[in-house]
Amino acid sequence: MSGLTTARAPRGLEGVVATTSGICYIDGEQGVLAYRGIDIHELAERSSFEETCYLLWFGGLPTRDELKQLRGRLAEERKLDASIYQRMQSVPKDALPMDVLRTLVSTLSFFDPDDKRNDRDANLHKAVRLTSQIAMIVACYDRIRKGKAVVQPDRSLSHAANFLLMLNGERPSKTAERALDIALILHADHELNASTFAARVTAATLSDMHSAITSAIGCLKGPLHGGANEAVFHIFEAIERSGSDPVEYVKAMLAQKKKIPGFGHRVYHTEDPRATHLRQMSRDLGRSSGQAKWFEYSQAIEQFIKADKKLNANVDFYSASTYRTLGIDVDLFTPVFAVSRISGWTAHVIEQFEDNRLIRPRAEYTGPPYPQHYVPLEARPS
Amino acid sequence: MSGLTTARAPRGLEGVVATTSGICYIDGEQGVLAYRGIDIHELAERSSFEETCYLLWFGGLPTRDELKQLRGRLAEERKLDASIYQRMQSVPKDALPMDVLRTLVSTLSFFDPDDKRNDRDANLHKAVRLTSQIAMIVACYDRIRKGKAVVQPDRSLSHAANFLLMLNGERPSKTAERALDIALILHADHELNASTFAARVTAATLSDMHSAITSAIGCLKGPLHGGANEAVFHIFEAIERSGSDPVEYVKAMLAQKKKIPGFGHRVYHTEDPRATHLRQMSRDLGRSSGQAKWFEYSQAIEQFIKADKKLNANVDFYSASTYRTLGIDVDLFTPVFAVSRISGWTAHVIEQFEDNRLIRPRAEYTGPPYPQHYVPLEARPS
């Protein structure tokens, strides 16, 4: 590294401002999250996922006509090439849903009518298409792996209701539809989270939308990112299997120096503002479905961890019980995260292309001091 | 961003030290590149790609037995699941090779015997497998899209010779084999280049090797990264088509404010040390094959740009003429880059897992000032 002006950044680039962005505002001290300046609480209470997509992609709220048009386009794009279904049929039955999603989103580039274009208009089309297609892939693959018939999309339904229809084979209740709609709004964007950053690093070589989104999906898969809500639910399952008291179970985990997933956040020093709504939804859904168990586990553990560790629940903690109560299998929690986050990922890729610069940091070399020398094979110790 | 300790980094994280790494040493001022402390010139002159893989993965040169074992394992892994061939057959005939490679590497995760494991040993196995498989996919897909029969691998050949055999359908000359071997050594690693960084960002969520490598391939695809040598050759083709003098053609491009690809590098302030060897190979190959034209174009343009713009040729500039003279199609230049860089990518992913921290920077918010307010649809201007 000698001779270069370099700044050593904190590990994991923590706190480093890697880019400017007009999409997502976070104030971690105050617990504020806003898309294009609008607070997440207002959006969760009053907006829809489709409107949130418009807000993220176009920078402001749509007019009535613009929203109608976008809803129409999202509904129209509820279609997949026949070969995508064939590929879902042909993956091994134990394939991880995130591996399937990553592979099929990469495959979608072959069939995208705008594949060879990389302008803003083409990328907005790809954003709409991918938002519809990812939801379809997640729902269809789950049915295919279970040996169930694929459910045809209903273009009259909202994005959330259509997803639940295609996943569960029946139209969801209004409560369930609204719960998923809110969950999709809450997960839609979160500034430079790891997967969005992976998408932007990929896009910044002037690669294409499908490459960037494929990177994001692969990155989201990791348990330190999208996988955390699955880890939360695995604890609930273990509690149920063992017949333990939730708090006693978590105490035993802590005694074994195990980390409890779903608590704390690198960015928020207060409650994660998304957790507020997910807690409420988890409670409402539990009551309306008669399955209050997962909410009760969640609440008991949250109260204990807050008192004992001074840690707040994050977005992952209450999404676990919410998703399960919606009939979503545990290993689909992360794919469902992608069903929402595709809106933010695509907004960030479009923004990256608008004012691009290659993202290429440096590493501090810590290997064998330069110069080592090449030793011919016959002179090496055997 | 208020209330957080944040440091605003230069655009594109230029000069920012994002991590420590013991793999690749670069001194941009002095024009030094070394793998594990051994200068790239010594490796290019005396080592082989297989030995370079060992060096990158294990941190030092192998003993005779270790090298023999690794060569054997790389040769053994020259095999692809039947469904990978079927998928190559089924992609549209105009699919971009990098899209095919990204998709099939993602698909390989389904068939990897260590897919559900993420320990060092499993990842070393994956590194070996992916190194062999990526070379096979690039060669086989090229034959399939041209309607030619797939060539079976020859396990007695070196990695470079086997690749050229499977690509061109005949055993390469010693000169061609050595030229590709050197090109593979030169491209094997380059510290935190964008694709390697994308791989590490992906791995840092504790996602898996195939996700990380899929991200890297998508990132490499971009014309600001792996695509640059293709852009160089497109200029040579345009020169040939138009019957222009190479220097006059480039002068006209500059007059139109066009950037000449293959010159300058964010990291090197001297000649890119890899260009030195590629220039020599381009010359030697041109002479031995009787196809000196591409080398002559390259040399004329290089001399002009160096005199006129004080810019040095980089790794991409002479790899264009070298690869073309080896019988590699222009749109395979970037895939061939991946055939080499897979060794460095996998080394970096393994290193990332050994001392991991989530890579999650921040963005400086530049959107509508917080708080904007949600306006009900009926109250919005139409």
Side-chain angles (χ1 to χ4, degrees):
Chain A
M1 296 291 311
S2 61
L4 275 172
T5 313
T6 46
R8 189 174 179 168
R11 265 169 67 83
L13 296 178
E14 182 162 358
V16 172
V17 175
T19 189
T20 55
S21 173
I23 299 171
C24 193
Y25 173 80
I26 296 176
D27 181 337
E29 290 292 324
Q30 302 297 319
V32 171
L33 168 63
Y35 302 158
R36 305 287 189 183
I38 304 180
D39 198 283
I40 194 68
H41 297 303
E42 292 187 25
L43 292 169
E45 283 157 19
R46 304 174 70 184
S47 187
S48 64
F49 179 63
E50 287 88 335
E51 188 174 62
T52 301
C53 288
Y54 189 98
L55 179 66
L56 292 169
W57 293 334
F58 295 94
L61 291 170
T63 63
R64 197 178 306 211
D65 280 355
E66 287 164 342
L67 182 58
K68 191 179 160 193
Q69 204 186 9
L70 181 62
R71 284 185 191 275
R73 286 176 54 204
L74 282 162
E76 261 169 50
E77 294 293 352
R78 285 177 197 156
K79 58 190 178 200
L80 294 171
D81 191 90
S83 76
I84 299 290
Y85 292 106
Q86 285 158 14
R87 279 162 215 259
M88 282 193 241
Q89 298 279 6
S90 73
V91 297
K93 287 295 163 238
D94 65 338
L96 298 175
M98 283 301 278
D99 290 346
V100 174
L101 185 62
R102 185 190 64 226
T103 303
L104 293 184
V105 165
S106 181
T107 307
L108 285 172
S109 68
F110 303 138
F111 307 107
D112 193 290
D114 297 305
D115 183 44
K116 304 289 192 293
R117 289 174 57 199
N118 211 7
D119 55 284
R120 181 180 159 83
D121 214 47
N123 283 320
L124 283 166
H125 284 298
K126 292 180 196 180
V128 170
R129 249 175 238 129
L130 282 165
T131 301
S132 295
Q133 290 166 331
I134 284 180
M136 287 190 63
I137 289 171
V138 174
C140 291
Y141 175 65
D142 188 53
R143 293 192 68 86
I144 287 171
R145 68 175 174 160
K146 290 174 174 165
K148 294 181 180 169
V150 162
V151 177
Q152 290 308 307
D154 181 338
R155 294 194 170 78
S156 71
L157 295 182
S158 72
H159 192 77
N162 180 66
F163 175 74
L164 289 171
L165 168 71
M166 293 185 69
L167 184 75
N168 294 328
E170 55 184 33
R171 284 177 81 132
S173 69
K174 279 285 157 199
T175 310
E177 176 184 0
R178 184 66 188 139
L180 182 63
D181 197 40
I182 293 173
L184 295 177
I185 294 169
L186 296 174
H187 287 84
D189 196 57
H190 208 247
E191 199 219 47
L192 282 196
N193 60 94
S195 56
T196 302
F197 187 52
R200 291 187 77 131
V201 169
T202 302
T205 66
L206 298 180
S207 189
D208 69 307
M209 180 64 85
H210 286 83
S211 291
I213 301 307
T214 303
S215 295
I217 294 170
C219 186
L220 183 69
K221 180 187 171 191
L224 297 189
H225 189 6
N229 52 13
E230 298 190 16
V232 170
F233 202 81
H234 288 309
I235 294 176
F236 296 171
E237 289 177 315
I239 289 170
E240 197 186 25
R241 265 199 311 276
S242 64
S244 314
D245 174 79
V247 171
E248 294 306 319
Y249 188 91
V250 164
K251 274 187 190 166
M253 281 182 72
L254 291 171
Q256 292 166 55
K257 308 276 180 216
K258 287 189 185 155
K259 214 171 159 268
I260 312 299
F263 287 91
H265 194 284
R266 186 184 283 191
V267 171
Y268 295 112
H269 298 194
T270 60
E271 172 159 304
D272 182 333
R274 300 167 293 181
T276 318
H277 295 276
L278 286 160
R279 185 189 296 109
Q280 185 63 43
M281 282 197 301
S282 172
R283 179 188 291 126
D284 294 350
L285 276 171
R287 282 183 188 154
S288 74
S289 68
Q291 284 190 280
K293 178 174 58 185
W294 309 126
F295 172 72
E296 286 159 10
Y297 284 11
S298 305
Q299 197 177 32
I301 294 168
E302 183 191 25
Q303 286 170 357
F304 168 70
I305 296 283
K306 180 137 179 110
D308 194 67
K309 295 276 158 192
K310 310 270 177 288
L311 283 174
N312 291 294
N314 64 33
V315 68
D316 301 308
F317 188 68
Y318 275 103
S319 67
S321 48
T322 301
Y323 287 168
R324 194 66 199 94
T325 313
L326 285 171
I328 298 168
D329 278 2
V330 180
D331 68 353
L332 291 190
F333 288 2
T334 314
V336 170
F337 193 151
V339 166
S340 164
R341 187 59 55 88
I342 182 62
S343 57
W345 288 334
T346 47
H348 277 271
V349 171
I350 290 167
E351 186 184 63
Q352 181 68 35
F353 284 141
E354 276 168 9
D355 182 26
N356 188 61
R357 183 156 167 74
L358 182 74
I359 300 174
R360 199 273 185 233
R362 297 298 309 268
E364 180 183 325
Y365 181 68
T366 52
Y370 176 83
Q372 301 293 306
H373 286 291
Y374 185 85
V375 179
L377 196 55
E378 53 281 9
R380 288 177 213 164
S382 63
Chain B
M1 296 291 311
S2 63
L4 274 172
T5 312
T6 47
R8 191 173 178 167
R11 264 168 67 81
L13 295 178
E14 183 162 0
V16 172
V17 175
T19 188
T20 55
S21 173
I23 299 171
C24 193
Y25 173 79
I26 296 176
D27 181 338
E29 291 292 323
Q30 303 295 321
V32 171
L33 168 63
Y35 302 158
R36 304 286 189 184
I38 304 179
D39 198 282
I40 194 68
H41 297 302
E42 292 187 26
L43 292 169
E45 284 157 19
R46 305 173 71 184
S47 187
S48 64
F49 178 63
E50 288 89 334
E51 189 174 62
T52 301
C53 287
Y54 190 98
L55 179 65
L56 292 170
W57 293 335
F58 296 95
L61 292 168
T63 64
R64 197 179 305 211
D65 280 354
E66 286 164 342
L67 182 58
K68 190 178 160 195
Q69 202 186 13
L70 181 62
R71 284 186 192 277
R73 285 177 54 204
L74 282 161
E76 261 169 52
E77 295 293 351
R78 286 179 196 152
K79 57 189 178 201
L80 294 171
D81 190 90
S83 77
I84 298 291
Y85 292 105
Q86 285 159 14
R87 280 162 215 257
M88 283 193 241
Q89 297 279 6
S90 73
V91 298
K93 287 295 163 238
D94 66 337
L96 297 175
M98 283 301 278
D99 290 347
V100 175
L101 186 62
R102 184 191 65 225
T103 303
L104 292 184
V105 166
S106 181
T107 307
L108 284 172
S109 68
F110 303 138
F111 307 107
D112 194 289
D114 297 305
D115 183 44
K116 304 287 191 295
R117 288 174 56 199
N118 211 8
D119 55 285
R120 181 179 159 84
D121 212 49
N123 283 319
L124 283 165
H125 284 298
K126 292 180 196 179
V128 171
R129 251 175 236 128
L130 282 165
T131 300
S132 295
Q133 290 166 331
I134 283 180
M136 287 189 64
I137 289 171
V138 173
C140 292
Y141 175 64
D142 189 52
R143 294 192 69 86
I144 286 171
R145 68 174 175 163
K146 290 174 173 163
K148 294 181 181 171
V150 161
V151 177
Q152 289 309 306
D154 181 337
R155 295 196 169 78
S156 72
L157 295 183
S158 72
H159 193 77
N162 180 66
F163 174 73
L164 289 170
L165 167 71
M166 293 185 69
L167 184 75
N168 294 329
E170 54 184 34
R171 282 176 81 132
S173 70
K174 279 285 157 199
T175 310
E177 175 183 359
R178 184 66 188 138
L180 182 62
D181 198 40
I182 292 173
L184 295 178
I185 295 168
L186 295 174
H187 287 84
D189 196 57
H190 207 246
E191 199 219 45
L192 282 197
N193 59 94
S195 56
T196 302
F197 187 51
R200 290 187 77 132
V201 169
T202 302
T205 66
L206 298 181
S207 188
D208 69 307
M209 180 65 84
H210 286 83
S211 291
I213 301 307
T214 303
S215 295
I217 293 169
C219 186
L220 183 68
K221 180 188 170 191
L224 297 189
H225 190 6
N229 52 13
E230 297 189 18
V232 170
F233 201 81
H234 288 309
I235 293 176
F236 297 170
E237 288 177 316
I239 290 170
E240 198 187 25
R241 265 199 312 274
S242 64
S244 314
D245 173 78
V247 171
E248 294 306 319
Y249 188 90
V250 164
K251 274 186 191 165
M253 280 182 72
L254 291 171
Q256 293 164 55
K257 308 275 179 214
K258 288 189 183 154
K259 216 173 158 265
I260 313 299
F263 288 91
H265 194 283
R266 185 184 284 190
V267 170
Y268 295 111
H269 299 194
T270 61
E271 172 160 303
D272 182 334
R274 299 165 295 180
T276 318
H277 295 276
L278 286 160
R279 185 190 296 108
Q280 185 62 44
M281 280 198 301
S282 172
R283 178 188 291 125
D284 294 352
L285 276 171
R287 283 183 187 152
S288 74
S289 67
Q291 283 189 280
K293 178 173 58 184
W294 309 126
F295 173 71
E296 286 160 11
Y297 283 10
S298 304
Q299 198 176 31
I301 293 169
E302 183 190 26
Q303 285 169 0
F304 168 71
I305 296 284
K306 176 133 183 115
D308 195 66
K309 295 277 159 192
K310 310 269 176 291
L311 283 174
N312 291 294
N314 63 33
V315 67
D316 300 308
F317 188 69
Y318 276 104
S319 67
S321 49
T322 300
Y323 287 168
R324 193 68 198 93
T325 313
L326 285 171
I328 297 168
D329 278 1
V330 181
D331 68 353
L332 291 190
F333 288 3
T334 314
V336 171
F337 194 151
V339 167
S340 165
R341 187 60 55 88
I342 183 61
S343 58
W345 288 333
T346 47
H348 277 271
V349 171
I350 290 166
E351 187 184 61
Q352 181 67 36
F353 285 140
E354 277 168 8
D355 182 24
N356 187 61
R357 183 156 166 76
L358 181 74
I359 301 174
R360 199 273 186 232
R362 297 299 307 269
E364 181 183 327
Y365 181 67
T366 53
Y370 176 82
Q372 301 294 306
H373 286 291
Y374 185 84
V375 179
L377 195 57
E378 54 282 7
R380 289 177 212 164
S382 65

